[in-house]
Amino acid sequence: SNPLAVASTWDLVAEGYTADLKPAFEHYARFILGRLHPTAADRLIDVACGPGTLIGLLPAGVEAVGVDFSPAMIERLERLSANR
């Protein structure tokens, strides 16, 4: 069994992931958004969204839904969304 395929593993590392890895992954999220050019007319879904790295970089007005199997990651996404 792969420990990365279990939500509880990601729950355990969510705080450190957000602090340490989210800034590194912002580079890739910006690359993706540079290809998509989302506008306020768009609706996006981010599967395996983690703490909301890509969603946090979306332009104002873009509707987005984040999906992740880790409740701790979704909690971080919800906090990010509440601050936007």
Side-chain angles (χ1 to χ4, degrees), residues 7 13 18 30 38 44 46 58 60-61 67:
V13 302
T18 302
R30 289 181 197 285
L44 302 174
D46 184 356
L58 290 172
V67 179

Side-chain angles (χ1 to χ4, degrees), residues 23-69:
F25 285 127
E26 284 182 359
H27 167 77
Y28 300 105
R30 289 181 197 285
F31 176 82
I32 291 165
L33 293 176
R35 300 291 188 263
L36 293 177
H37 308 288
T39 68
D42 292 322
R43 297 171 63 195
L44 302 174
I45 184 166
D46 184 356
V47 178
C49 65
T53 306
L54 186 132
I55 291 173
L57 297 173
L58 290 172
V62 176
E63 184 181 342
V65 174
V67 179
D68 200 289
F69 71 164

Side-chain angles (χ1 to χ4, degrees), residues 71-83:
M73 292 291 191
I74 293 296
E75 287 173 14
R76 277 150 183 80
L77 171 61
E78 289 171 343
R79 274 189 247 141
L80 170 76
S81 298
N83 294 328

